[in-house]
Amino acid sequence: MQTQAQKDFQGMAVYESKTSTSEFKDRMAGNKEMTPDMMKMIEDRMKKMFEKTFILNFDKSASIYKEEEKLEAPGGQGGGGMRMMTSIMGGGGTFYKNVKDKSYTVDKEFMGKEFLVKDSLPKLDWKMDSETRVIGGYNCFKATAVRPVSKSDFRNFRPKREGDKKEEDKKEEPKAENKDKKTNFMDEFEVPKEITITAWYTPEIPVNQGPENYWGLPGLILEVNDGKTVILCSKIVMNAKEKVEIKAPTNGKAISQSDYDETVVKKMEEMREMNQGQGRGGMEFRIGH
């Protein structure tokens, strides 16, 4: 039987998430049509998308992970385009994880539609390491895992350079009869099939939780690094007087993760086709429009 202390156990962790944008910046710098003012505007918008603060509220069996709410300045950079880019850059919505039944639910808005992505938590085969470090006063241990990359999470994508495309074209030469075939939206990017995750967790907070869909270690995960994105815990509050209700979101059309990924790719392909003929805009130059 659960004691009252176990029932009341709850914690809150603040995470700062930063994704490297160097490849996108290099690509933009090589575009002769880009003025310094345009570069500055896009860099500011990319900073908003790629540097975020999240709050994780957790108990023994479940958690909710949500971007910290910030007031938009009047005439700011909200709007549909910004919301859509936020969604595919790993933000937006409430990410609910239940580690008891190994499931997650996240509500996402994409192209003006509400989706409720419901699926099983990814099974991460963590390799434990004896290396330690201190994060925010907590002793942490290192663990690594390899996981596939989601097609709807663009943080690990990078635009292909012209040289890369030519190499791909060489590989496709035997299929010359397919020349008239439309190229896929995903062909514009280099997408790793899987990435190696390095996590730091603390057994001093013995919960099977972490940011986003990271879980499965014998302690709260305080840092995750996948090579491009670093999510680092900056603050922890344990057993605050005011409790937060930890429950799954309910709004939106229920959909599996793979179906949601396919929906995003299909819509992005449609947008790309609509934008073709307007010069080399490309997705990376239309951020926030």
Side-chain angles (χ1 to χ4, degrees):
M1 208 171 119
Q2 276 194 325
T3 64
Q4 192 59 38
Q6 281 176 315
K7 281 181 184 174
D8 289 346
F9 173 86
Q10 194 176 100
M12 183 273 286
V14 179
Y15 292 87
E16 309 296 334
S17 174
K18 287 189 180 183
T19 299
S20 168
T21 59
S22 56
E23 286 106 349
F24 284 94
K25 285 179 182 175
D26 290 347
R27 179 79 175 267
M28 287 189 295
N31 182 5
K32 295 183 178 68
E33 295 170 18
M34 294 290 280
T35 65
D37 284 348
M38 285 164 72
M39 278 285 288
K40 175 75 170 66
M41 182 187 77
I42 290 175
E43 281 187 19
D44 287 347
R45 293 189 177 191
M46 287 178 91
K47 187 178 166 74
K48 276 178 74 86
M49 287 191 300
F50 289 99
E51 296 184 16
K52 295 174 175 295
T53 302
F54 292 87
I55 310 291
L56 179 76
N57 287 286
F58 58 90
D59 58 26
K60 287 286 186 187
S61 61
S63 67
I64 49 174
Y65 183 72
K66 193 172 184 179
E67 188 177 345
E68 183 182 52
E69 289 177 11
K70 289 177 183 166
L71 289 173
E72 285 285 350
Q77 296 162 21
M82 198 65 192
R83 280 199 304 274
M84 184 188 80
M85 293 305 294
T86 295
S87 179
I88 62 178
M89 292 304 171
T94 298
F95 199 117
Y96 170 85
K97 285 197 299 290
N98 188 314
V99 295
K100 262 189 178 169
D101 62 19
K102 299 179 174 56
S103 69
Y104 68 90
T105 304
V106 56
D107 56 340
K108 285 183 172 286
E109 182 186 337
F110 183 70
M111 303 284 279
K113 289 184 179 175
E114 298 278 343
F115 292 94
L116 194 65
V117 182
K118 301 173 90 168
D119 221 313
S120 301
L121 281 168
K123 190 178 186 313
L124 297 166
D125 185 16
W126 292 108
K127 302 281 186 288
M128 315 299 261
D129 196 303
S130 57
E131 194 178 333
T132 63
R133 59 184 271 221
V134 175
I135 299 176
Y138 290 90
N139 292 311
C140 296
F141 290 87
K142 182 181 178 182
T144 56
V146 175
R147 73 166 177 84
V149 173
S150 166
K151 285 185 193 174
S152 65
D153 184 347
F154 281 65
R155 288 173 297 177
N156 282 289
F157 290 21
R158 75 177 180 88
K160 276 188 183 174
R161 298 176 187 278
E162 287 306 313
D164 299 332
K165 287 184 189 177
K166 280 170 190 162
E167 283 301 312
E168 289 298 315
D169 291 343
K170 283 177 195 169
K171 288 179 194 172
E172 293 294 319
E173 272 178 359
K175 298 179 184 173
E177 68 272 14
N178 289 341
K179 270 185 178 173
D180 295 333
K181 207 173 175 183
K182 288 179 187 172
T183 55
N184 191 288
F185 162 73
M186 303 298 277
D187 296 339
E188 293 290 315
F189 298 92
E190 285 189 332
V191 190
K193 291 249 183 328
E194 53 186 28
I195 48 176
T196 300
I197 308 299
T198 300
W200 295 88
Y201 67 95
T202 177
E204 292 170 25
I205 304 175
V207 294
N208 193 351
Q209 289 286 352
E212 294 189 11
N213 60 355
Y214 296 109
W215 70 296
L217 287 167
L220 181 65
I221 298 170
L222 297 190
E223 181 178 326
V224 175
N225 186 332
D226 70 7
K228 281 203 69 171
T229 299
V230 177
I231 306 171
L232 176 64
C233 181
S234 59
K235 180 183 177 183
I236 294 173
V237 177
M238 297 302 297
N239 297 316
K241 282 181 183 173
E242 281 190 39
K243 300 294 176 196
V244 173
E245 191 175 13
I246 296 174
K247 64 175 186 178
T250 55
N251 291 337
K253 176 191 171 186
I255 191 170
S256 70
Q257 185 68 58
S258 60
D259 286 349
Y260 176 76
D261 290 351
E262 290 303 323
T263 300
V264 169
V265 171
K266 189 179 171 188
K267 288 291 180 189
M268 297 302 283
E269 177 64 29
E270 287 172 10
M271 280 180 63
R272 178 176 175 266
E273 286 175 13
M274 280 169 58
N275 292 335
Q276 276 179 344
Q278 295 178 20
R280 284 195 55 145
M283 181 182 138
E284 63 269 33
F285 306 138
R286 298 180 61 80
I287 290 170
H289 285 224

